[in-house]
Amino acid sequence: MGQERSAWRTMIDTATAALDTADPATAAQAAVSIAGDSVWRWREYQTVDRTAMSVFRRLLTELPPADSVRRARVLAMLAAEMSYDPGSADDAIDLCERAVAQVRAASGAPPDLARVLESRHLVLDRPSCLPQRLDTAHELVALAESDDDPAPLG
């Protein structure tokens, strides 16, 4: 890894600074932008970042309920973070399912749904969740093959 870990820390710092100035929308945008197109580039694999979890929880309390797509993306990132903590893995699945339902209910754009589904795919990384994980992978491929995807498979 190159500068990804540094970028992760910068994201946390930026989101925290925006929250401290009562700007939860900017904070949430900073938080979700780090994930980009892949959950693997922006952080250490299988380590729990309690600071990030705290920022994501704070975002969920400060983002307005009407900002449902952004809230869904933050909720999915919190779930992904929690999935690395064995004591929180089941709660992570529940949170991620809420995030998926929320982005669908909000009629989020395909890229927003894809980002939430990517987190779901990560959260479901255990043998007991294989059928759901496979369904999620199929849906991600279908989204990538659709005309609405900004970077379709080809």
Side-chain angles (χ1 to χ4, degrees), residues 54-132:
S54 176
V55 169
F56 297 148
R57 284 187 175 111
R58 186 173 168 198
L59 278 164
L60 291 169
T61 63
E62 295 189 27
L63 276 170
D67 199 350
S68 56
V69 171
R70 213 175 270 149
R71 289 178 63 81
R73 290 194 59 188
V74 171
L75 191 60
M77 289 189 69
L78 173 60
E81 218 33 69
M82 290 172 61
S83 72
Y84 295 127
D85 179 1
S88 299
D90 289 334
D91 291 337
I93 291 173
D94 293 340
L95 284 180
C96 209
E97 293 306 315
R98 281 182 34 209
V100 170
Q102 189 168 334
V103 77
R104 288 187 201 284
S107 300
D112 292 315
L113 176 58
R115 299 301 82 84
V116 171
L117 289 173
E118 286 173 353
S119 291
R120 182 177 193 248
H121 192 262
L122 175 74
V123 169
L124 295 173
D125 189 13
R126 57 169 108 175
S128 63
C129 296
L130 185 58
Q132 299 96 321

